[in-house]
Amino acid sequence: MYVQDTIVAPATAPGQGAVAIVRLSGPRALAILDSLWKPLRSGIKPEPRKMVLGEIIDPATGAILDRAIAVRMPAPRTFTGEDVAELHCHGGMYLVRRILAAAMAAGARMAEPGEFTRRAFLNGRIDLTEAEAIADLVAARSEGALRLALGQMAGALSGKIAKLRDQLVSIRAHLEAEIDFADEDLDLPSRGEIASSIGRLADDVAILHQSFVVGRITREGARAVILGKPNVGKSSVLNLILGVERAIVTAVPGTTRDVIEDSIQLGPLQLVLQDTAGVRERADEVESIGISRTFSSLAEADLVLAVFDSARPLDAEDAMVIERCRGRSGVALLNKRDLPPVTSAENLRSAGLAMPIVPFSALRGEGLESLRTEIARLVEEMAAPGLASGVAISRERHRASLDRALKALSAAQESLRSAMPPEIVAVDVAAAADALGEITGEIHREDILDAIFREFCIGK
Ligand SMILES: Nc1nc2c(ncn2[C@@H]2O[C@H](COP(=O)(O)OP(=O)(O)OP(=O)(O)O)[C@@H](O)[C@H]2O)c(=O)[nH]1
Ligand SMILES: [Mg+2]
């Protein structure tokens, strides 16, 4: 529910800094500002959207709290669509708390996380994908994530969705004309034409649906899991790629027992690496739990880095690893090449491994450049469509709505095939349009908004 009161929150991160910004939004924002802050040159009437130097005064005691700049932004052309006021004060933690307390004493309420952005959405200043893009922009940790968030903030995804929705609306209008003017001789598209329009639309929706992987990789980074039997050098490989001793390395097989995760920057994207417990047939209780975690990581990974020991013959445990690599994207490392060779790339190939194979020595750091190049190539291949077009869905919420849209469209196609009356087809077409409308928030529910804005920080 949208309560039209006045909210206040620090807009800058907590902690000490040169400047902190306290933001107010709501019908009393400007009045509350006037009660706390006075321009240094008395008698002037500060102009809207101009920074003016003044003093913050605690209304309760009359004590000066800070010398600070104030900006008044009257509705409606503001971020939230309401009256907004900002105080740019010195960035002291105690000072900011005092200013917030004074604003609250003057009638403001502390904002919930994301409440400014939620108001911007509810007042029609931005749609839901644009609101989500703001959170993504703040959280971006790579060039790719930044680009995708900026594109989405500028309306790239909403534009795409709007186009698809418009097409659905026009198909529905044709179906309804068929219902309303059944007896008249109108030049309406035939059933076949409607069916092929729906087919094309479903293809476009499916492409957007598939962009989820690209969007997630661009936003959160690609997940690579390091897989192999015990003692082949998985943890050594992790440490080498990261450039820090992140995981424990010992000569004892079964050293790593839990999933160890860390991330690095890889070109325009982030790579999240997971070192895992070695895959083996017989293991004690702790190790067995570790191995089952290895398999869950594997299930969610985008890439597999399979490690093999070139100084030992392939065995049944290596065969288990090769089996798990079937159909997966990734790179195989033939590690320990500094030792006399026993297993070759050909041996791995004839055992059924289909991935590119990089000769490697974690001990000497040999092969690292080839590995980086190979991983970067694979990740960019996966993320390329999103990076190029700037349009990709990146959230489970988007994917769920597109799923519903696809189901509704295939129901519509089915109804057309079985020569159902136009009313029946129109219901499914409307359901598909509604599902798309959920993505941009034209159709929304309170609990969905709560879930989205909970992720935001206070003051955003
Ligand atoms: N000679 C040589 N030894 C290596 C190389 N890479 C790792 N080792 C050694 O192999 C042993 C096992 O290395 P780890 O990195 O702990 O292997 P792991 O696969 O993580 O082992 P678990 O965690 O037990 O599954 C250690 O003694 C490493 O020093 C390499 O390239 N050459
Ligand atoms: Mg290990």
Side-chain angles (χ1 to χ4, degrees):
M1 198 177 58
Y2 183 10
V3 185
Q4 276 200 322
D5 55 358
T6 299
I7 51 174
V8 66
T12 39
Q16 290 185 21
V19 175
I21 299 174
V22 172
R23 182 149 65 169
L24 289 146
S25 179
R28 299 205 55 235
L30 302 178
I32 292 172
L33 177 77
D34 288 339
S35 73
L36 300 177
W37 174 92
K38 302 276 175 275
L40 268 190
R41 284 203 290 136
S42 57
I44 67 157
K45 176 100 183 92
E47 278 179 58
R49 294 165 220 283
K50 290 258 166 71
M51 297 180 104
V52 181
L53 185 62
E55 277 171 341
I56 300 176
I57 296 150
D58 187 345
T61 60
I64 294 174
L65 292 180
D66 194 10
R67 185 169 276 206
I69 286 169
V71 189
R72 314 159 64 83
M73 290 171 267
R77 288 184 49 231
T78 62
F79 175 59
T80 56
E82 304 174 326
D83 281 345
V84 171
E86 276 180 10
L87 279 167
H88 297 227
C89 59
H90 290 98
M93 284 158 57
Y94 177 71
L95 177 63
V96 169
R97 278 209 300 274
R98 280 292 300 271
I99 296 170
L100 290 173
M104 285 193 269
R109 168 175 65 78
M110 190 71 183
E112 305 281 334
E115 198 170 359
F116 289 88
T117 316
R118 186 175 185 143
R119 287 183 174 200
F121 165 70
L122 292 172
N123 285 321
R125 302 290 291 162
I126 52 173
D127 74 17
L128 264 193
T129 66
E130 288 158 6
E132 286 169 328
I134 293 173
D136 291 349
L137 189 73
V138 172
R141 286 185 302 166
S142 70
E143 186 63 24
L146 183 72
R147 293 280 138 233
L148 191 67
L150 282 172
Q152 192 168 315
M153 206 162 80
L157 181 57
S158 346
K160 180 97 198 152
I161 299 279
K163 235 166 82 189
L164 294 170
R165 261 194 110 197
D166 284 351
Q167 289 168 20
L168 282 169
V169 168
S170 119
I171 293 174
R172 196 173 157 200
H174 285 140
L175 287 164
E176 277 167 4
E178 208 180 307
I179 303 167
D180 295 341
F181 307 106
D183 307 329
E184 294 169 38
D185 193 17
L186 282 182
D187 190 18
L188 290 170
S190 69
R191 279 301 176 99
E193 280 162 348
I194 289 183
S196 58
S197 310
I198 292 180
R200 277 196 301 276
L201 224 133
D203 289 345
D204 285 348
V205 174
I207 290 171
L208 202 55
H209 186 267
Q210 283 155 14
S211 73
F212 180 69
V213 176
V214 170
R216 186 180 49 69
I217 288 178
T218 314
R219 194 163 80 104
E220 296 167 10
R223 281 193 291 253
V225 66
I226 306 176
L227 191 70
K229 71 176 179 187
N231 215 42
V232 290
K234 298 178 296 299
S235 301
S236 309
V237 168
L238 173 83
N239 292 345
L240 183 71
I241 301 177
L242 294 176
V244 290
E245 297 302 304
R246 178 73 175 78
I248 299 172
V249 169
T250 75
V252 184
T255 300
T256 307
R257 302 196 152 213
D258 210 339
V259 178
I260 299 177
E261 186 179 295
D262 216 328
S263 56
I264 53 157
Q265 193 74 32
L266 191 84
L269 299 166
Q270 192 85 7
L271 181 72
V272 182
L273 278 166
Q274 292 184 323
D275 178 25
T276 58
V279 176
R280 75 160 123 199
E281 281 169 321
R282 270 193 299 277
D284 66 31
E285 196 186 343
V286 180
E287 221 182 337
S288 304
I289 297 171
I291 295 171
S292 72
R293 289 192 181 176
T294 299
F295 292 142
S296 337
S297 286
L298 182 65
E300 290 181 3
D302 302 301
L303 284 179
V304 185
L305 305 187
V307 185
F308 300 92
D309 187 341
S310 65
R312 285 166 178 274
L314 292 178
D315 60 17
E317 286 167 348
D318 291 308
M320 281 166 64
V321 173
I322 292 172
E323 182 54 38
R324 295 274 175 170
C325 291
R326 211 176 286 281
R328 303 288 307 245
S329 167
V331 186
L333 301 181
L334 203 42
N335 193 32
K336 307 198 185 183
R337 63 175 277 190
D338 50 283
L339 299 176
V342 176
T343 293
S344 66
E346 288 68 45
N347 297 143
L348 282 172
R349 289 261 173 267
S350 24
L353 190 78
M355 295 171 170
I357 300 168
V358 175
F360 207 81
S361 168
L363 190 71
R364 294 197 185 149
E366 283 169 20
L368 184 59
E369 268 324 295
S370 319
L371 174 65
R372 277 184 191 280
T373 314
E374 202 57 46
I375 297 176
R377 185 184 64 77
L378 288 168
V379 172
E380 283 210 50
E381 219 170 74
M382 283 191 258
L387 287 175
S389 67
V391 184
I393 58 163
S394 56
R395 290 169 190 253
E396 195 49 57
R397 184 182 83 77
H398 305 158
R399 180 156 73 165
S401 295
L402 290 177
D403 250 341
R404 274 196 294 282
L406 280 175
K407 288 208 177 81
L409 289 175
S410 82
Q413 284 171 308
E414 184 52 45
S415 305
L416 281 169
R417 263 196 298 277
S418 46
M420 291 282 188
E423 288 90 328
I424 304 285
V425 185
V427 166
D428 290 324
V429 171
D434 285 356
L436 293 181
E438 286 167 5
I439 297 178
T440 46
E442 265 154 286
I443 292 169
H444 66 262
R445 294 203 328 250
E446 281 303 307
D447 55 337
I448 292 178
L449 294 190
D450 288 345
I452 292 172
F453 291 104
R454 230 186 346 254
E455 276 183 39
F456 282 62
C457 44
I458 300 256
K460 188 64 245 168

